[in-house]
Amino acid sequence: MKNLFGLFLALLLMSIPAAAQERGGQQRSAPVRGVGGGHVPAHGPAPHPGPAPAARPQQQSRQPQEQSRQAAPDRARSYSDLKGHPDAPHVHSNGDRWVGHDTGRDDAHYHVDHPFEHGRFSGGIGRGHTFRIEGGGPNRFWFGGFYFSVAPYDIGYCNDWDWGIDNVVIYDDPDHDGWYLAYNVRLGTYVHVMYMGNG
């Protein structure tokens, strides 16, 4: 009986790390204090009043996941404004400060020749309209028959999103015509997304 109990306990202990793994073998990121963890901002960001901040030099030591964000040669800033906060655009749960939404209307990374060419998202904007992602990935994800695509410049900032179960809230982007902001409720991070229509 002791051997059977010992075997059961060993199998249980071996299954704990496996349960912590996401699809694709990636470790599921936990929310950090002051960011995410189920918090939904009361409102989207205000329009940025001026020019973009000057780029800050990159830190020398980078984790492998952070290196994937360096695909664009002009990625030179960090969004980790407080110890433990993500190095991605995010929203503080205390005060709803949108960290990283400060490049203004002239940011070439979010220029669109034909804004809203697939129509406008009509599923509900802002707090009170939380949607569970039903599948896909950064190039095309969906929920409730609505389809979106992450801006190419932002793809590295959603590597830890779970495209099968994470909840998102869509906000209007006051600075970049043709884009919305998809806020991940679990992580507190956000990316620019384009509405691709409904199915």
Side-chain angles (χ1 to χ4, degrees):
M1 188 60 139
K2 285 183 181 180
N3 287 341
L4 185 59
F5 179 75
L7 179 63
F8 174 76
L9 184 60
L11 288 173
L12 180 65
L13 290 174
M14 288 189 307
S15 69
I16 291 172
Q21 296 291 315
E22 259 187 325
R23 280 170 279 197
Q26 295 179 336
Q27 184 78 18
R28 185 171 172 89
S29 297
V32 296
R33 185 177 174 101
V35 177
H39 173 74
V40 176
H43 52 76
H48 190 265
R56 292 183 283 263
Q58 293 180 2
Q59 297 174 354
Q60 293 300 318
S61 64
R62 291 268 181 207
Q63 298 293 331
Q65 183 177 359
E66 292 174 325
Q67 288 174 346
S68 70
R69 292 191 185 128
Q70 303 305 316
D74 55 346
R75 280 251 193 229
R77 65 182 290 201
S78 172
Y79 296 99
S80 184
D81 60 329
L82 296 172
K83 184 178 180 180
H85 280 205
D87 192 11
H90 61 277
V91 180
H92 289 184
S93 56
N94 181 11
D96 289 346
R97 185 168 78 96
W98 290 72
V99 175
H101 200 269
D102 55 4
T103 60
R105 295 194 64 76
D106 296 328
D107 189 334
H109 298 108
Y110 307 112
H111 171 77
V112 177
D113 287 335
H114 305 286
F116 305 109
E117 69 180 298
H118 303 286
R120 292 188 184 258
F121 173 60
S122 62
I125 300 286
R127 185 182 232 171
H129 303 281
T130 302
F131 303 97
R132 170 157 280 169
I133 299 174
E134 297 172 5
N139 292 320
R140 184 173 188 244
F141 69 95
W142 60 89
F143 53 78
F146 299 105
Y147 294 84
F148 289 86
S149 179
V150 174
Y153 187 71
D154 288 5
I155 286 178
Y157 297 126
C158 55
N159 288 336
D160 49 358
W161 288 31
D162 188 325
W163 301 99
I165 63 168
D166 272 347
N167 290 319
V168 294
V169 178
I170 304 297
Y171 292 90
D172 286 315
D173 185 333
D175 293 331
H176 310 113
D177 293 337
W179 295 100
Y180 294 94
L181 300 171
Y183 169 81
N184 184 306
V185 175
R186 174 177 61 93
L187 298 171
T189 59
Y190 67 91
V191 292
H192 290 80
V193 295
M194 183 175 289
Y195 177 60
M196 305 303 289
N198 57 3

